[in-house]
Amino acid sequence: MTVLVLVIGFLVLIMLGVPIAFSLGISSLLYLLFTDIPLTIIPQAMFSGMDSFVMLAIPAFILAGNLMNAGGITDRIIAFAKACVGHIRGGLGMTNVASSLGFAGISGTALSDTASLGSVLIPAMKREGYGSGFSAAVTSISSTVGPMLPPSLPMIIIGTLAGISIGDLFIAGAIPGLLLAAGFLIVTYAISVKRKYPKEDRQPLSVVGKSFLGAFWALLMVVIIMWGILGGYFTPTEAAVIAVVYAFIIGGLVYRELKPREIPAIIGNTLTLTASIILLVGLANLFGWILVYEDIPIMLADGILSITENSFLIVLLILGLLLIIGMFIETIAALVILFPVLLPVAESIGMDPIHFGVVMVLTLMIGLSTPPVGVCLFVASGIAKVPIGKTVRELVPYFGVALFVLLLVSYIPSLSLFLPNLFE
């Protein structure tokens, strides 16, 4: 009965618009007040969720992304993408998708992609005659590609939770991420042709080459990170620190756009974002501890397996559950709460933990562009100054592609496991 206090309290707080971290914390506190469990479990559970060496990679990667962004990397990635696909019908929309693919190696978060790229590309698309809703939709959905590629913060969280190789998780998301980007490019092109959106003149190879050199140092960072982790030269946390040093050098000495006076603001922004993520992880771990204490994981597993023992249908049930959860709960909170709960169910039907991790991240990424709690949807719509409903209508064909890729990745494990197995 007391678990109903937890669940109902959490749902009510979410519907009232209380931030997800506080909803988790307040509902957990209400539960504890109705039980004999001492309140000392709160700091203990929160600290156990935060106390991980690997978690240090999160602030370092965020700082590296902020430094690279302030150092002029965003503009150079956009210029390179525009030089490659700008001459195609709807080229600026396709540039949006291609830029997210390149920017993924810097930020590691979908929200950073939406805010950074959207602030540049959405106004540009509107000036060129693209619809406001379409501009917001492309920016929102394409940013979900980022967390599928290294350095992905959701993958770091999963690796920390389950003791899975973060390097393997990084490369396991590569093929699904590329499939997702390819699908979004096709949809963007098809819509652009139908609506006769503009295209630019084809750029000569010299311009393409120059723009590539401009973006080269940003793209090289991904290569360095993956080479170091997969080669065993450094851990993900050490790779994050190396990325920070690299960002300082590239932004300050190579591009010379990173100014010393900007450093305090960048560090302040990094600290704010890091604090919000770590607090969320801690409170989500407390919430998850209560679920385990109440045997919810076992009950959920038994409930799913009681419906059917068919592995195909079980995967479908898990995907449906995650899609619904992703519409209401922020990605990192959902991972901390549900990954340990659902992993045993997935393993019971033979799913590899790495494969399941990729599937779970991909499923929850779709939720970032869906109401009522889709943060990328809200940010993109805000930049475009367009109602949420209009953006959602434009997102419908993209949702179709995302779901199709999700089913492919879920039922064809080799799409996730081919590269990790190759590097064993």
Side-chain angles (χ1 to χ4, degrees):
M1 189 66 180
T2 51
V3 75
L4 291 177
V5 174
L6 178 76
V7 176
I8 294 174
F10 176 70
L11 294 176
V12 169
L13 290 167
I14 287 290
M15 288 187 288
L16 290 175
V18 177
I20 183 70
F22 294 108
S23 297
L24 290 167
I26 294 171
S27 58
S28 298
L29 177 61
L30 290 174
Y31 168 85
L32 293 174
L33 292 175
F34 276 86
T35 64
D36 295 328
I37 302 173
L39 296 183
T40 52
I41 192 63
I42 296 176
Q44 292 173 6
M46 288 182 64
F47 182 74
S48 67
M50 303 173 183
D51 185 26
S52 170
F53 178 71
V54 176
M55 292 284 281
L56 289 174
I58 292 177
F61 274 129
I62 292 173
L63 178 57
N66 287 338
L67 290 169
M68 297 286 271
N69 193 25
I73 299 300
T74 305
D75 293 339
R76 286 172 170 82
I77 288 177
I78 291 173
F80 176 52
K82 194 173 180 180
C84 292
V85 298
H87 62 280
I88 303 173
R89 178 72 66 183
L92 199 53
M94 299 179 75
T95 296
N96 202 324
V97 179
S99 297
S100 291
L101 197 60
F103 197 71
I106 299 173
S107 67
T109 64
L111 185 57
S112 296
D113 290 8
T114 304
S116 301
L117 298 177
S119 61
V120 176
L121 285 171
I122 289 177
M125 290 178 69
K126 290 172 67 176
R127 284 196 303 270
E128 293 292 328
Y130 292 81
S132 298
F134 178 76
S135 302
V138 174
T139 304
S140 175
I141 198 68
S142 65
S143 65
T144 61
V145 174
M148 299 304 299
L149 305 172
S152 165
L153 297 191
M155 297 297 188
I156 294 173
I157 295 293
I158 285 178
T160 305
L161 289 171
I164 303 172
S165 167
I166 294 176
D168 286 346
L169 285 168
F170 276 177
I171 58 173
I175 293 177
L178 292 173
L179 285 174
L180 205 59
F184 293 159
L185 285 170
I186 292 171
V187 172
T188 301
Y189 174 73
I191 293 175
S192 299
V193 169
K194 181 179 179 180
R195 298 180 183 177
K196 294 183 171 54
Y197 283 145
K199 62 178 180 178
E200 300 182 0
D201 295 333
R202 182 185 293 272
Q203 299 293 328
L205 286 177
S206 59
V207 174
V208 176
K210 185 178 180 180
S211 63
F212 169 73
L213 291 176
F216 172 77
W217 296 108
L219 302 176
L220 182 62
M221 189 176 86
V222 183
V223 177
I224 292 173
I225 290 171
M226 293 311 304
W227 170 77
I229 294 175
L230 295 177
Y233 298 105
F234 38 75
T235 66
T237 304
E238 293 165 344
V241 175
I242 289 171
V244 171
V245 176
Y246 181 88
F248 266 114
I249 294 173
I250 299 304
L253 300 179
V254 178
Y255 292 147
R256 298 183 179 180
E257 293 190 23
L258 181 62
K259 308 301 180 186
R261 64 177 181 273
E262 297 175 324
I263 302 300
I266 292 172
I267 293 176
N269 177 269
T270 301
L271 291 174
T272 301
L273 182 55
T274 299
S276 66
I277 291 175
I278 298 300
L279 177 63
L280 178 59
V281 169
L283 290 171
N285 195 68
L286 171 63
F287 192 91
W289 181 90
I290 294 173
L291 293 180
V292 172
Y293 180 82
E294 290 283 352
D295 290 331
I296 299 301
I298 297 174
M299 292 168 59
L300 181 62
D302 290 343
I304 292 176
L305 294 174
S306 68
I307 296 173
T308 177
E309 294 185 359
N310 185 297
S311 59
F312 182 93
L313 294 178
I314 289 174
V315 170
L316 210 57
L317 287 171
I318 292 175
L319 293 181
L321 174 64
L322 291 175
L323 285 170
I324 294 171
I325 293 294
M327 294 172 66
F328 296 94
I329 301 180
E330 195 274 344
T331 302
I332 292 178
L335 286 173
V336 175
I337 296 169
L338 291 176
F339 189 79
V341 173
L342 293 174
L343 180 59
V345 181
E347 289 182 318
S348 71
I349 58 172
M351 286 188 78
D352 185 278
I354 294 175
H355 175 215
F356 180 64
V358 172
V359 169
M360 189 164 183
V361 171
L362 177 55
T363 311
L364 294 173
M365 284 303 102
I366 297 174
L368 294 176
S369 292
T370 59
V373 192
V375 289
C376 291
L377 170 65
F378 282 96
V379 170
S381 298
I383 295 173
K385 298 178 182 178
V386 64
I388 298 295
K390 188 173 182 180
T391 305
V392 171
R393 286 194 294 273
E394 295 283 2
L395 279 167
V396 171
Y398 290 99
F399 287 146
V401 167
L403 291 173
F404 176 71
V405 172
L406 175 61
L407 290 174
L408 284 180
V409 173
S410 300
Y411 289 107
I412 307 177
S414 58
L415 292 176
S416 300
L417 300 177
F418 173 74
L419 291 179
N421 291 338
L422 193 65
F423 284 94
E424 282 186 353

